[in-house]
Amino acid sequence: MVTVNVVVLAGTVAADPVTRQMPSGDEVTELRISVPETGRRLLPLPVAAWHATVGRAVLDPIAKGDSVLVHGQLVRRFYRSGAGARSLTEVVATGIKRLGSEPGTGGEATVNPEA
């Protein structure tokens, strides 16, 4: 049986990215990407971009309102909170590219050259 878990999204960053440092010392930036669904609705999707994989230098200039292309895989995490057991489905990015740029900035910003 062949299994494929590949996600490619083009959308708009809906909120300011949040960078967190994990107890292990690893850093992750959490993004919320709005992707158009059929019709006129926008589907907000959580994206986790680990700095060791994607690169901090690529993530720092990304801000709310930027158009981005994200590729990665879909992951479901389980955890406990004060309300009990919970789960979260998110995209774990392996590469991000900021689409369109302001004049004079030298073009698109590439996050992962292997992408």
Side-chain angles (χ1 to χ4, degrees):
M1 179 166 109
V2 177
T3 304
V4 178
N5 183 355
V6 176
V7 175
V8 178
L9 302 170
T12 304
V13 179
D16 288 325
V18 176
T19 299
R20 300 186 192 284
Q21 185 161 6
M22 307 308 284
S24 65
D26 293 337
E27 289 184 302
V28 62
T29 296
E30 298 169 349
L31 306 161
R32 184 157 299 276
I33 308 294
S34 291
V35 179
E37 249 187 309
T38 31
R40 295 177 184 235
R41 291 178 25 175
L42 291 175
L43 178 64
L45 296 169
V47 175
W50 292 88
H51 293 202
T53 303
V54 176
R56 182 181 188 97
V58 179
L59 293 167
D60 281 346
I62 294 176
K64 179 179 178 179
D66 286 346
S67 294
V68 293
L69 179 67
V70 176
H71 64 88
Q73 57 187 329
L74 201 57
V75 175
R76 187 169 180 201
R77 294 188 294 126
F78 297 90
Y79 62 96
R80 293 199 172 274
S81 70
R86 303 190 55 132
S87 71
L88 171 70
T89 302
E90 66 184 354
V91 175
V92 175
T94 55
I96 299 175
K97 181 184 281 190
R98 193 173 70 185
L99 302 174
S101 61
E102 297 178 22
T105 61
E108 297 178 347
T110 302
V111 175
N112 185 352
E114 297 175 359

XYZ file of all heavy atoms in Angstrom:
839
model
N 0.838 -1.181 0.000
C 0.000 0.000 0.000
C 0.886 1.249 0.000
O 1.838 1.355 0.758
C -0.895 -0.007 1.233
C -1.770 1.198 1.320
S -3.067 0.995 2.535
C -2.513 2.093 3.788
N 0.565 2.200 -0.842
C 1.308 3.454 -0.940
C 0.628 4.500 -0.073
O -0.588 4.656 -0.111
C 1.359 3.937 -2.408
C 2.052 5.272 -2.500
C 2.033 2.904 -3.279
N 1.429 5.207 0.707
C 0.905 6.259 1.568
C 1.569 7.579 1.196
O 2.790 7.649 1.080
C 1.190 5.939 3.045
O 0.646 4.675 3.357
C 0.583 6.985 3.947
N 0.756 8.607 0.999
C 1.279 9.927 0.649
C 0.659 10.955 1.589
O -0.544 10.974 1.792
C 0.941 10.288 -0.820
C 1.438 11.686 -1.149
C 1.521 9.265 -1.767
N 1.491 11.795 2.161
C 1.020 12.864 3.022
C 1.761 14.133 2.624
O 2.786 14.477 3.198
C 1.263 12.522 4.492
C 0.723 13.587 5.427
O 0.242 14.619 5.007
N 0.822 13.331 6.722
N 1.254 14.798 1.601
C 1.869 16.019 1.086
C 0.801 17.106 1.035
O -0.296 16.875 0.530
C 2.456 15.806 -0.332
C 3.013 17.106 -0.885
C 3.511 14.726 -0.303
N 1.142 18.265 1.567
C 0.220 19.398 1.576
C 0.912 20.572 0.885
O 2.064 20.879 1.189
C -0.156 19.800 3.018
C -1.019 21.037 3.025
C -0.840 18.655 3.720
N 0.209 21.212 -0.044
C 0.691 22.434 -0.683
C -0.437 23.454 -0.582
O -1.543 23.197 -1.047
C 1.076 22.196 -2.164
C 1.535 23.496 -2.803
C 2.150 21.126 -2.274
N -0.144 24.591 0.038
C -1.147 25.632 0.256
C -0.634 26.969 -0.256
O 0.540 27.296 -0.070
C -1.434 25.805 1.753
C -1.925 24.603 2.531
C -1.898 24.916 4.021
C -3.316 24.240 2.087
N -1.500 27.717 -0.873
C -1.212 29.106 -1.217
C -2.297 29.932 -0.556
O -3.486 29.690 -0.759
C -1.225 29.311 -2.729
N -1.894 30.863 0.288
C -2.882 31.662 1.001
C -2.249 32.899 1.597
O -1.121 33.269 1.275
N -2.998 33.513 2.502
C -2.589 34.758 3.141
C -2.383 34.523 4.628
O -3.192 33.854 5.268
C -3.678 35.834 2.945
O -3.928 35.967 1.542
C -3.251 37.169 3.511
N -1.327 35.090 5.179
C -1.076 34.987 6.614
C -2.146 35.814 7.324
O -2.249 37.028 7.125
C 0.344 35.485 6.970
C 0.583 35.384 8.466
C 1.388 34.685 6.202
N -2.989 35.148 8.134
C -4.165 35.781 8.721
C -3.882 36.499 10.040
O -4.672 37.339 10.467
C -5.256 34.737 8.928
N -2.796 36.143 10.710
C -2.459 36.763 11.997
C -0.945 36.858 12.102
O -0.226 36.160 11.391
C -3.019 35.935 13.148
N -0.480 37.717 12.978
C 0.965 37.837 13.159
C 1.544 36.495 13.598
O 1.000 35.848 14.500
C 1.294 38.905 14.207
C 1.035 40.317 13.690
O 1.256 40.544 12.485
O 0.608 41.166 14.490
N 2.635 36.058 12.974
C 3.272 34.803 13.372
C 3.765 34.878 14.817
O 4.173 35.940 15.293
C 4.445 34.668 12.412
C 4.092 35.526 11.243
C 3.285 36.657 11.809
N 3.703 33.739 15.498
C 4.148 33.649 16.887
C 5.303 32.662 16.953
O 5.166 31.518 16.518
C 2.995 33.178 17.809
C 3.484 32.989 19.232
C 1.831 34.139 17.748
N 6.439 33.100 17.500
C 7.602 32.227 17.643
C 7.699 31.772 19.089
O 7.579 32.580 20.006
C 8.889 32.962 17.224
O 8.764 33.346 15.852
C 10.111 32.068 17.377
N 7.895 30.478 19.270
C 7.998 29.898 20.611
C 9.287 29.092 20.715
O 9.716 28.485 19.752
C 6.823 28.970 20.900
C 5.481 29.638 20.828
C 4.378 28.681 21.280
N 3.068 29.154 20.973
C 2.423 30.113 21.620
N 3.004 30.712 22.619
N 1.213 30.484 21.269
N 9.849 29.086 21.922
C 11.006 28.238 22.176
C 10.536 27.074 23.028
O 9.895 27.254 24.063
C 12.109 29.012 22.890
C 13.365 28.174 23.050
C 14.588 29.009 23.325
O 14.517 30.212 23.511
N 15.733 28.370 23.345
N 10.858 25.876 22.585
C 10.460 24.660 23.276
C 11.451 24.381 24.402
O 12.570 24.892 24.397
C 10.418 23.486 22.298
C 9.572 23.752 21.052
S 7.915 24.342 21.425
C 7.150 22.843 21.949
N 11.041 23.553 25.388
C 11.969 23.210 26.478
C 13.282 22.597 25.970
O 14.320 22.744 26.594
C 11.185 22.196 27.309
C 9.753 22.514 27.038
C 9.718 22.992 25.611
N 13.241 21.956 24.811
C 14.442 21.345 24.226
C 15.398 22.390 23.647
O 16.521 22.065 23.286
C 14.043 20.370 23.124
O 13.436 21.076 22.052
N 14.914 23.639 23.505
C 15.722 24.692 22.900
C 15.365 24.930 21.442
O 15.775 25.929 20.862
N 14.620 24.008 20.823
C 14.182 24.188 19.441
C 13.183 25.341 19.367
O 12.432 25.587 20.309
C 13.506 22.917 18.903
C 14.471 21.757 18.767
O 15.679 22.004 18.655
O 13.995 20.609 18.778
N 13.171 26.030 18.223
C 12.221 27.122 18.019
C 11.244 26.759 16.914
O 11.617 26.123 15.923
C 12.949 28.409 17.648
C 13.726 29.006 18.802
C 14.357 30.325 18.422
O 15.140 30.338 17.465
O 14.038 31.336 19.081
N 9.999 27.180 17.091
C 8.957 26.941 16.103
C 8.162 28.234 15.937
O 7.911 28.946 16.904
C 8.041 25.764 16.522
C 7.311 26.046 17.821
C 7.052 25.415 15.425
N 7.823 28.549 14.694
C 6.956 29.690 14.412
C 5.603 29.153 13.989
O 5.507 28.290 13.113
C 7.547 30.579 13.304
O 8.778 31.133 13.777
C 6.600 31.711 12.938
N 4.561 29.637 14.643
C 3.198 29.223 14.332
C 2.538 30.299 13.481
O 2.561 31.480 13.832
C 2.403 28.989 15.612
C 2.982 27.874 16.462
C 2.374 27.791 17.847
O 1.642 28.719 18.253
O 2.650 26.797 18.529
N 1.986 29.872 12.351
C 1.296 30.771 11.427
C -0.148 30.317 11.293
O -0.453 29.142 11.462
C 1.934 30.710 10.037
C 3.427 30.959 9.921
C 3.948 30.405 8.617
C 3.681 32.438 9.987
N -1.025 31.237 10.958
C -2.390 30.889 10.582
C -2.570 31.394 9.170
O -2.469 32.587 8.908
C -3.410 31.507 11.522
C -4.825 31.075 11.181
C -5.772 31.192 12.340
N -5.457 30.391 13.497
C -5.799 29.109 13.657
N -6.440 28.483 12.724
N -5.504 28.472 14.755
N -2.799 30.445 8.242
C -2.916 30.760 6.832
C -4.387 30.669 6.423
O -5.049 29.674 6.711
C -2.105 29.761 5.964
C -0.669 29.661 6.449
C -2.175 30.120 4.489
C 0.138 30.899 6.297
N -4.907 31.696 5.761
C -6.268 31.670 5.215
C -6.181 31.234 3.760
O -5.517 31.875 2.948
C -6.922 33.047 5.295
O -7.183 33.371 6.630
N -6.864 30.127 3.464
C -6.861 29.545 2.128
C -8.292 29.564 1.594
O -9.217 29.182 2.313
C -6.328 28.098 2.180
C -6.332 27.461 0.815
C -4.932 28.080 2.774
N -8.510 29.998 0.350
C -9.870 30.026 -0.178
C -10.445 28.621 -0.339
O -9.778 27.727 -0.834
C -9.744 30.705 -1.537
C -8.305 30.939 -1.780
C -7.536 30.525 -0.589
N -11.659 28.446 0.147
C -12.411 27.207 -0.039
C -13.297 27.399 -1.257
O -13.386 28.493 -1.803
C -13.313 26.977 1.188
C -12.915 25.819 2.035
C -13.940 25.565 3.120
O -14.312 26.501 3.841
O -14.358 24.416 3.241
N -13.987 26.349 -1.669
C -14.934 26.530 -2.763
C -15.951 27.587 -2.359
O -16.375 27.642 -1.223
C -15.663 25.212 -3.087
O -15.801 24.443 -1.911
C -14.952 24.429 -4.132
N -16.309 28.399 -3.274
C -17.183 29.527 -2.954
C -16.333 30.701 -2.513
O -15.217 30.884 -2.966
N -16.840 31.481 -1.597
C -16.128 32.686 -1.171
C -15.565 32.588 0.239
O -15.009 33.540 0.744
C -17.073 33.877 -1.246
C -17.489 34.156 -2.659
C -18.465 35.293 -2.692
N -18.910 35.482 -4.052
C -18.838 36.612 -4.693
N -18.368 37.672 -4.099
N -19.256 36.696 -5.926
N -15.741 31.448 0.888
C -15.272 31.295 2.265
C -13.763 31.120 2.316
O -13.143 30.605 1.398
C -15.934 30.081 2.908
C -17.401 30.262 3.139
C -18.060 29.072 3.733
N -17.135 28.222 4.482
C -17.507 27.171 5.170
N -18.763 26.834 5.208
N -16.622 26.440 5.811
N -13.178 31.551 3.434
C -11.756 31.345 3.675
C -11.598 30.311 4.783
O -12.278 30.370 5.804
C -11.078 32.648 4.093
C -10.961 33.715 3.015
C -10.371 34.990 3.597
C -10.116 33.217 1.866
N -10.708 29.374 4.579
C -10.445 28.315 5.536
C -9.157 28.657 6.283
O -8.080 28.691 5.685
C -10.296 26.985 4.800
C -9.979 25.755 5.627
C -11.133 25.451 6.578
C -9.755 24.571 4.697
N -9.240 28.946 7.600
C -8.018 29.247 8.355
C -7.338 27.942 8.763
O -7.958 27.063 9.349
C -8.538 30.006 9.582
C -9.932 29.525 9.762
C -10.441 29.128 8.397
N -6.051 27.804 8.451
C -5.315 26.586 8.765
C -4.078 26.911 9.586
O -3.324 27.819 9.243
C -4.894 25.873 7.475
C -6.033 25.367 6.607
C -5.504 24.927 5.252
C -6.737 24.222 7.294
N -3.831 26.147 10.664
C -2.614 26.360 11.452
C -1.410 25.698 10.774
O -1.507 24.595 10.250
C -2.938 25.685 12.782
C -3.951 24.647 12.451
C -4.732 25.171 11.272
N -0.290 26.409 10.779
C 0.956 25.907 10.195
C 2.054 26.063 11.235
O 2.202 27.131 11.828
C 1.331 26.688 8.916
C 2.677 26.248 8.382
C 0.249 26.536 7.860
N 2.811 24.991 11.464
C 3.967 25.033 12.354
C 5.221 24.938 11.497
O 5.356 24.022 10.686
C 3.918 23.885 13.356
N 6.124 25.896 11.648
C 7.372 25.910 10.884
C 8.536 25.856 11.864
O 8.794 26.829 12.577
C 7.445 27.164 10.024
N 9.208 24.699 11.926
C 10.347 24.518 12.825
C 11.559 25.206 12.214
O 11.870 25.018 11.052
C 10.604 23.031 13.051
C 9.499 22.415 13.835
C 8.343 21.885 13.345
C 9.415 22.313 15.253
N 7.548 21.457 14.377
C 8.178 21.699 15.560
C 10.269 22.669 16.292
C 7.781 21.439 16.862
C 9.863 22.411 17.590
C 8.641 21.803 17.869
N 12.253 25.990 12.997
C 13.385 26.766 12.503
C 14.504 25.873 11.994
O 15.195 26.235 11.042
C 13.900 27.702 13.596
C 12.919 28.776 13.931
N 13.282 29.955 14.513
C 11.568 28.872 13.750
C 12.215 30.718 14.696
N 11.166 30.069 14.242
N 14.693 24.692 12.594
C 15.742 23.777 12.146
C 15.464 23.268 10.737
O 16.378 22.974 9.980
C 15.860 22.604 13.113
N 14.188 23.180 10.344
C 13.811 22.673 9.027
C 13.679 23.791 8.006
O 14.213 23.706 6.905
C 12.460 21.916 9.116
O 12.577 20.880 10.079
C 12.065 21.338 7.778
N 12.966 24.840 8.365
C 12.629 25.896 7.414
C 13.662 27.026 7.424
O 13.992 27.560 6.377
C 11.214 26.449 7.705
C 10.888 27.607 6.806
C 10.183 25.346 7.559
N 14.145 27.384 8.580
C 15.135 28.454 8.689
C 14.545 29.738 9.235
O 13.563 30.250 8.712
N 15.138 30.244 10.288
C 14.639 31.463 10.939
C 14.741 32.676 10.012
O 13.866 33.530 10.001
C 15.418 31.721 12.220
C 14.934 32.931 12.964
C 15.748 33.177 14.235
N 15.136 34.230 14.999
C 14.317 34.047 16.018
N 14.024 32.834 16.405
N 13.793 35.071 16.653
N 15.790 32.744 9.216
C 15.998 33.906 8.343
C 14.862 34.054 7.338
O 14.545 35.164 6.920
C 17.327 33.786 7.615
N 14.245 32.977 6.949
C 13.138 33.029 5.994
C 11.838 33.396 6.702
O 10.989 34.077 6.149
C 12.992 31.682 5.280
C 11.837 31.708 4.301
C 14.279 31.356 4.570
N 11.681 32.963 7.951
C 10.437 33.190 8.682
C 10.334 34.604 9.256
O 9.233 35.134 9.365
C 10.309 32.167 9.813
C 10.123 30.729 9.347
C 10.323 29.763 10.501
C 8.748 30.548 8.725
N 11.451 35.208 9.621
C 11.415 36.528 10.264
C 10.698 37.599 9.449
O 9.944 38.383 10.012
C 12.828 36.982 10.635
C 13.329 36.317 11.908
O 12.514 35.726 12.649
O 14.547 36.385 12.164
N 10.895 37.679 8.112
C 10.211 38.756 7.374
C 8.726 38.494 7.097
O 8.030 39.375 6.628
C 10.995 38.851 6.065
C 11.687 37.554 5.908
C 11.882 36.999 7.284
N 8.232 37.301 7.378
C 6.819 36.995 7.100
C 5.940 37.643 8.157
O 6.193 37.527 9.355
C 6.593 35.475 7.031
C 7.350 34.906 5.828
C 5.104 35.148 6.940
C 7.278 33.405 5.699
N 4.888 38.338 7.693
C 3.998 39.063 8.598
C 2.547 38.892 8.153
O 2.268 38.407 7.054
C 4.369 40.540 8.623
N 1.647 39.340 8.999
C 0.219 39.304 8.701
C -0.037 40.019 7.375
O 0.500 41.096 7.118
C -0.560 39.986 9.824
C -2.051 40.020 9.600
C -2.747 40.691 10.768
C -4.231 40.761 10.525
N -4.938 41.395 11.654
N -0.854 39.393 6.507
C -1.210 39.980 5.226
C -0.344 39.512 4.073
O -0.694 39.728 2.918
N 0.800 38.874 4.350
C 1.671 38.375 3.285
C 1.037 37.166 2.596
O 0.410 36.328 3.243
C 3.036 37.946 3.837
C 3.921 39.112 4.220
O 3.601 40.250 3.819
O 4.922 38.877 4.914
N 1.226 37.073 1.287
C 0.825 35.887 0.537
C 1.987 34.908 0.577
O 3.135 35.289 0.343
C 0.506 36.236 -0.914
O -0.629 37.058 -0.968
N 1.681 33.646 0.899
C 2.733 32.637 1.030
C 2.333 31.334 0.349
O 1.151 31.049 0.167
C 3.077 32.346 2.513
C 3.719 33.534 3.191
C 1.854 31.892 3.274
N 3.357 30.572 -0.033
C 3.191 29.218 -0.536
C 3.844 28.314 0.496
O 5.013 28.503 0.840
C 3.872 29.057 -1.898
C 3.799 27.682 -2.529
C 2.364 27.351 -2.915
C 4.701 27.607 -3.741
N 3.083 27.362 1.033
C 3.563 26.468 2.086
C 3.495 25.051 1.576
O 2.494 24.649 0.980
C 2.686 26.588 3.354
C 3.113 25.591 4.415
C 2.703 28.001 3.899
N 4.539 24.288 1.816
C 4.440 22.851 1.557
C 4.958 22.114 2.776
O 5.813 22.600 3.518
C 5.142 22.438 0.251
C 6.605 22.658 0.228
N 7.509 21.741 0.667
C 7.316 23.715 -0.195
C 8.721 22.212 0.512
N 8.631 23.417 -0.004
N 4.359 20.950 3.022
C 4.704 20.171 4.202
C 3.831 18.944 4.287
O 3.448 18.364 3.267
N 3.485 18.569 5.515
C 2.631 17.404 5.706
C 1.613 17.677 6.800
O 1.830 18.520 7.672
C 3.470 16.179 6.031
C 4.368 16.316 7.234
C 5.272 15.118 7.375
O 4.913 14.012 7.002
N 6.448 15.326 7.926
N 0.507 16.963 6.740
C -0.567 17.093 7.707
C -0.264 16.213 8.909
O 0.092 15.039 8.761
C -1.885 16.670 7.055
C -3.172 17.163 7.675
C -3.199 18.671 7.752
C -4.352 16.650 6.882
N -0.376 16.787 10.117
C -0.069 16.075 11.351
C -1.191 16.319 12.347
O -1.709 17.431 12.442
C 1.271 16.570 11.947
C 1.553 15.928 13.287
C 2.408 16.313 10.986
N -1.549 15.281 13.098
C -2.535 15.431 14.164
C -1.835 15.166 15.487
O -1.229 14.116 15.674
C -3.690 14.457 13.982
C -4.811 14.696 14.968
C -6.035 13.900 14.594
N -7.097 14.139 15.545
C -8.110 13.325 15.730
N -8.208 12.222 15.020
N -9.029 13.614 16.614
N -1.875 16.163 16.378
C -1.235 16.045 17.695
C -2.294 15.880 18.767
O -3.374 16.458 18.681
C -0.412 17.296 18.002
C 0.765 17.480 17.109
C 1.666 18.613 17.553
N 1.005 19.910 17.447
C 0.887 20.786 18.436
N 1.364 20.520 19.623
N 0.282 21.935 18.237
N -1.975 15.100 19.776
C -2.856 14.883 20.915
C -2.163 15.428 22.159
O -0.965 15.260 22.329
C -3.145 13.387 21.099
C -3.876 12.781 19.943
C -3.182 12.238 18.879
C -5.263 12.776 19.905
C -3.847 11.682 17.795
C -5.940 12.223 18.829
C -5.224 11.685 17.779
N -2.944 16.094 23.018
C -2.373 16.647 24.241
C -3.475 16.786 25.284
O -4.656 16.639 24.993
C -1.687 17.986 23.976
C -2.614 19.067 23.457
C -3.184 19.994 24.317
C -2.918 19.169 22.096
C -4.037 20.980 23.850
C -3.760 20.150 21.623
C -4.318 21.050 22.502
O -5.159 22.011 22.032
N -3.075 17.065 26.509
C -4.024 17.284 27.597
C -3.983 18.743 28.014
O -2.926 19.354 28.060
C -3.685 16.410 28.797
C -3.876 14.954 28.539
C -3.974 14.206 29.868
N -4.353 12.835 29.623
C -5.605 12.405 29.495
N -6.600 13.254 29.595
N -5.863 11.136 29.276
N -5.155 19.268 28.314
C -5.249 20.632 28.832
C -6.188 20.589 30.030
O -6.657 19.528 30.420
C -5.782 21.581 27.752
O -7.128 21.317 27.490
N -6.480 21.741 30.587
C -7.393 21.806 31.725
C -8.767 21.252 31.404
O -9.495 20.790 32.286
N -9.141 21.263 30.129
C -10.456 20.773 29.707
C -10.423 19.280 29.366
O -11.426 18.733 28.937
C -10.936 21.564 28.494
N -9.258 18.624 29.522
C -9.156 17.201 29.221
C -8.342 16.943 27.965
O -7.567 17.785 27.518
N -8.538 15.759 27.385
C -7.792 15.365 26.188
C -8.283 16.167 24.985
O -9.475 16.374 24.806
C -7.949 13.880 25.939
N -7.337 16.623 24.176
C -7.661 17.405 22.989
C -6.780 16.958 21.844
O -5.768 16.299 22.039
C -7.439 18.891 23.262
C -8.253 19.375 24.461
C -8.228 20.841 24.562
N -8.676 21.426 23.313
C -9.563 22.382 23.211
N -10.118 22.862 24.279
N -9.892 22.881 22.043
N -7.148 17.379 20.638
C -6.297 17.115 19.478
C -6.281 18.345 18.581
O -7.180 19.180 18.628
C -6.777 15.897 18.697
O -7.978 16.177 18.026
N -5.234 18.435 17.776
C -5.060 19.554 16.856
C -4.501 18.999 15.556
O -3.532 18.251 15.566
C -4.082 20.585 17.443
C -3.620 21.701 16.517
C -4.773 22.655 16.229
C -2.463 22.443 17.138
N -5.131 19.351 14.445
C -4.609 18.992 13.131
C -3.969 20.236 12.546
O -4.585 21.300 12.515
C -5.738 18.484 12.216
O -6.366 17.365 12.847
C -5.198 18.060 10.868
N -2.697 20.108 12.127
C -1.979 21.253 11.588
C -1.055 20.801 10.468
O -0.786 19.620 10.300
C -1.170 21.963 12.670
C -0.040 21.147 13.231
C 0.696 21.835 14.369
O 0.415 23.014 14.665
O 1.562 21.190 14.967
N -0.587 21.775 9.701
C 0.396 21.518 8.662
C 1.766 21.784 9.268
O 1.996 22.854 9.840
C 0.164 22.436 7.434
C 1.273 22.253 6.414
C -1.197 22.161 6.822
N 2.676 20.813 9.164
C 4.057 21.021 9.576
C 4.834 21.333 8.301
O 4.967 20.490 7.416
C 4.633 19.790 10.306
C 6.109 19.997 10.612
C 3.852 19.526 11.592
N 5.301 22.565 8.202
C 5.941 23.056 6.981
C 7.346 22.487 6.818
O 8.107 22.406 7.780
C 5.996 24.575 6.997
N 7.664 22.116 5.584
C 9.032 21.760 5.225
C 9.632 22.857 4.351
O 10.835 22.873 4.126
C 9.098 20.406 4.482
O 8.231 20.453 3.356
C 8.682 19.277 5.401
N 8.795 23.777 3.880
C 9.260 24.910 3.098
C 8.182 25.959 2.990
O 6.996 25.637 2.994
N 8.601 27.205 2.951
C 7.670 28.331 2.811
C 8.310 29.335 1.855
O 9.510 29.580 1.914
C 7.383 29.032 4.156
C 6.743 28.050 5.142
C 6.496 30.252 3.948
C 6.539 28.635 6.523
N 7.492 29.892 0.987
C 7.962 30.931 0.077
C 6.986 32.099 0.166
O 5.778 31.912 0.072
C 7.999 30.412 -1.358
C 8.497 31.438 -2.358
C 8.428 30.924 -3.769
C 9.602 30.021 -4.020
N 9.727 29.663 -5.449
N 7.525 33.283 0.388
C 6.684 34.474 0.392
C 6.450 34.858 -1.055
O 7.399 34.996 -1.829
C 7.355 35.604 1.161
C 6.400 36.746 1.453
C 7.018 37.738 2.341
N 8.063 38.421 1.585
C 8.883 39.303 2.094
N 8.824 39.612 3.355
N 9.789 39.885 1.343
N 5.202 35.024 -1.443
C 4.845 35.342 -2.823
C 4.671 36.839 -2.986
O 4.139 37.498 -2.099
C 3.546 34.637 -3.213
C 3.544 33.120 -3.079
C 2.156 32.571 -3.363
C 4.568 32.510 -3.993
N 5.115 37.341 -4.141
C 4.987 38.772 -4.384
C 5.814 39.526 -3.373
O 5.930 39.138 -2.232
N 6.415 40.565 -3.810
C 7.231 41.361 -2.902
C 7.082 42.815 -3.266
O 6.614 43.163 -4.334
C 8.689 40.925 -2.982
O 9.180 41.107 -4.286
N 7.497 43.628 -2.357
C 7.437 45.063 -2.608
C 8.522 45.445 -3.602
O 9.580 44.835 -3.642
C 7.641 45.808 -1.292
C 6.538 45.530 -0.291
C 6.787 46.241 1.019
O 7.540 47.247 1.016
O 6.246 45.812 2.019
N 8.288 46.453 -4.430
C 9.295 46.880 -5.392
C 10.602 47.257 -4.695
O 10.598 47.843 -3.628
C 8.666 48.120 -6.045
C 7.202 47.980 -5.798
C 7.060 47.229 -4.503
N 11.710 46.818 -5.303
C 13.014 47.166 -4.766
C 13.568 46.194 -3.751
O 14.632 46.404 -3.210
N 12.826 45.099 -3.439
C 13.320 44.152 -2.441
C 14.044 42.991 -3.093
O 14.508 42.102 -2.405
C 12.182 43.621 -1.553
O 11.245 42.936 -2.377
C 11.519 44.732 -0.776
N 14.112 42.946 -4.410
C 14.880 41.895 -5.061
C 14.095 40.655 -5.404
O 14.662 39.626 -5.647
N 12.778 40.715 -5.391
C 11.991 39.546 -5.805
C 11.469 38.759 -4.642
O 11.381 39.220 -3.523
N 11.112 37.509 -4.936
C 10.499 36.643 -3.932
C 11.532 36.193 -2.916
O 12.698 36.038 -3.210
C 9.879 35.416 -4.610
C 8.760 35.774 -5.544
C 8.201 34.568 -6.240
O 8.830 33.486 -6.200
O 7.133 34.685 -6.846
N 11.054 35.933 -1.712
C 11.927 35.427 -0.657
C 11.720 33.913 -0.569
O 10.621 33.448 -0.335
C 11.567 36.078 0.671
N 12.776 33.144 -0.771
C 12.677 31.697 -0.713
C 13.087 31.221 0.657
O 14.132 31.596 1.163
C 13.599 31.041 -1.763
O 13.216 31.546 -3.036
C 13.474 29.548 -1.743
N 12.242 30.367 1.257
C 12.500 29.888 2.602
C 13.388 28.668 2.586
O 14.310 28.547 3.360
C 11.176 29.545 3.311
C 11.425 28.929 4.661
C 10.337 30.771 3.431
N 13.135 27.717 1.715
C 13.878 26.467 1.691
C 14.335 26.216 0.268
O 13.533 25.920 -0.585
C 12.983 25.329 2.197
C 13.722 24.031 2.319
O 14.865 23.901 1.893
N 13.068 23.042 2.906
N 15.633 26.285 -0.013
C 16.098 26.131 -1.391
C 15.846 24.736 -1.955
O 15.846 24.555 -3.150
C 17.594 26.421 -1.301
C 17.952 26.394 0.132
C 16.698 26.571 0.912
N 15.608 23.726 -1.106
C 15.325 22.377 -1.587
C 13.886 22.239 -2.062
O 13.515 21.252 -2.652
C 15.594 21.359 -0.485
C 17.033 21.325 -0.074
C 17.267 20.388 1.099
O 16.298 19.791 1.594
O 18.412 20.268 1.502
N 13.047 23.238 -1.777
C 11.622 23.159 -2.101
C 11.383 23.184 -3.590
O 11.997 23.766 -4.371
C 10.891 24.323 -1.450
